[in-house]
Amino acid sequence: MERRYASHPNEVKKFDTERLREEFHIPTIFAPDELKLVLTHEDRMIVGGAQPVTKEVVLTTDLKELGVSYFLERRELGIINVGGKGIVVVDGTEYEIDTKECLYVGQGSKDVVFKSVDAAKPAKFYLNSAPAHQSYPTTKTTLAESESGALGDITNSNERTIHRLIHTNGVQSAQLVMGMTQLKPGNMWNTMPAHTHPRRMEAYMYFDLPDDSVVIHLMGEPSETRHIVMRNEQAVISPSWSIHSGVGTSNYTFIWSMAGDNKRYDDMDPVSIKDLQ
């Protein structure tokens, strides 16, 4: 498991492109038959992926890094499949997770195993894990079952549908909040005007992006913005003090996840476009 440290905004002002990517960009989420994990000290979130192809992938890591005897002893886990049909086995119980379906796994679950139904179309399980103070039931949910809403319009190139999956009015968790936003064809912007939420960090994972397209992800303090070029199935860490927005060369989908002091989706500090620099 790779480790990333928290960064002060005064330091980030001095980062060049390479250093910015080293600290916040996660270039590889999925690798065949591997578990990829990145631990960020931003609210101790773990971002990663499991791609079982020819064999099962087990959720495990260097447990000394977490100070526990098994991965979810003091953590919870959100899973969204962005590949082919797969199966997640939690303490012997199988959950079939199709494309864009979500599984929440509660604190105290000891054994988590990832499988693909068809090796020719392997599952790609995107993972977010946060520290947990309470155990909630392992629960599957889908986009059709989610609290969804339409945002934006084609005039501003940001017509999109937001699906809240793990949140106060949906699948219950200790602190993890997780969902998915789908941009309609011809739309490229997400979350603009931008905002911050100093009480929570956030991570984005962009996918459904053509190979010849990119998303320019904006981050930094509103008065000191920076950008990171993102490609398909890559993730980015957003500190609580940073804006998080992006514009693509085509439409795309992204998964957002948060951890911190509360689970209120509407707890945001808006930033006026005229104040961005």
Side-chain angles (χ1 to χ4, degrees):
M1 182 164 59
E2 183 183 348
R3 183 194 300 171
R4 304 283 181 93
Y5 291 98
S7 298
H8 193 283
N10 287 344
E11 293 179 297
V12 177
K13 293 176 184 179
K14 304 172 185 176
F15 288 0
D16 62 12
T17 299
E18 182 178 3
R19 178 72 187 281
L20 200 69
R21 293 174 72 85
E22 286 175 356
E23 297 295 334
F24 302 109
H25 180 236
I26 304 176
T28 305
I29 296 290
F30 303 110
D33 295 327
E34 288 187 28
L35 177 71
K36 306 285 287 186
L37 298 174
V38 174
L39 168 67
T40 171
H41 283 243
E42 302 288 349
D43 289 302
R44 298 288 296 180
M45 175 79 86
I46 293 175
V47 178
Q51 185 185 1
V53 181
T54 62
K55 62 181 182 180
E56 300 175 352
V57 175
V58 178
L59 180 67
T60 187
T61 189
D62 177 6
L63 296 175
K64 183 179 179 181
E65 181 74 46
L66 303 180
V68 293
S69 56
Y70 58 95
F71 193 97
L72 294 178
E73 182 179 347
R74 298 287 298 171
R75 284 185 164 271
E76 57 189 352
L77 176 67
I79 304 165
I80 295 179
N81 182 13
V82 300
K85 187 176 294 185
I87 295 171
V88 181
V89 186
V90 181
D91 290 340
T93 301
E94 291 194 354
Y95 299 87
E96 189 172 280
I97 310 298
D98 209 340
T99 305
K100 294 181 177 149
E101 293 185 340
C102 173
L103 183 70
Y104 169 82
V105 184
Q107 174 197 358
S109 301
K110 289 189 174 180
D111 299 312
V112 181
V113 179
F114 304 98
K115 305 177 182 179
S116 287
V117 172
D118 183 357
K121 298 178 180 178
K124 293 180 178 180
F125 297 106
Y126 177 60
L127 313 176
N128 291 138
S129 174
H133 61 276
Q134 183 176 344
S135 180
Y136 288 89
T138 295
T139 306
K140 176 184 171 179
T141 191
T142 67
L143 297 186
E145 297 168 333
S146 69
E147 181 181 86
S148 302
L151 295 174
D153 56 70
I154 189 66
T155 303
N156 292 301
S157 300
N158 64 355
E159 189 175 4
R160 61 201 191 276
T161 303
I162 185 167
H163 304 276
R164 302 177 186 92
L165 297 164
I166 303 172
H167 68 119
T168 303
N169 298 324
V171 175
Q172 294 300 297
S173 67
Q175 69 159 320
L176 184 64
V177 179
M178 199 169 179
M180 183 186 304
T181 299
Q182 297 173 295
L183 275 71
K184 295 188 177 181
N187 294 268
M188 288 76 73
W189 276 100
N190 70 69
T191 319
M192 183 58 74
H195 62 265
T196 63
H197 28 75
R199 295 147 294 278
R200 293 174 301 178
M201 65 77 68
E202 188 159 6
Y204 277 10
M205 197 280 280
Y206 293 99
F207 69 109
D208 284 348
L209 190 66
D211 290 339
D212 58 351
S213 295
V214 299
V215 173
I216 307 301
H217 179 84
L218 302 178
M219 64 163 295
E221 293 178 291
S223 61
E224 284 280 350
T225 57
R226 301 289 185 270
H227 75 270
I228 296 177
V229 176
M230 308 289 301
R231 290 179 168 79
N232 190 47
E233 296 180 353
Q234 295 184 344
V236 62
I237 299 163
S238 178
S240 59
W241 48 264
S242 174
I243 66 167
H244 33 282
S245 181
V247 60
T249 56
S250 74
N251 64 306
Y252 51 90
T253 304
F254 68 99
I255 295 169
W256 43 267
S257 58
M258 295 178 279
D261 281 334
N262 64 43
K263 298 191 294 181
R264 287 178 47 202
Y265 179 82
D266 61 351
D267 179 19
M268 304 174 186
D269 294 350
V271 177
S272 173
I273 291 178
K274 67 181 178 60
D275 293 328
L276 290 174
Q277 295 186 43

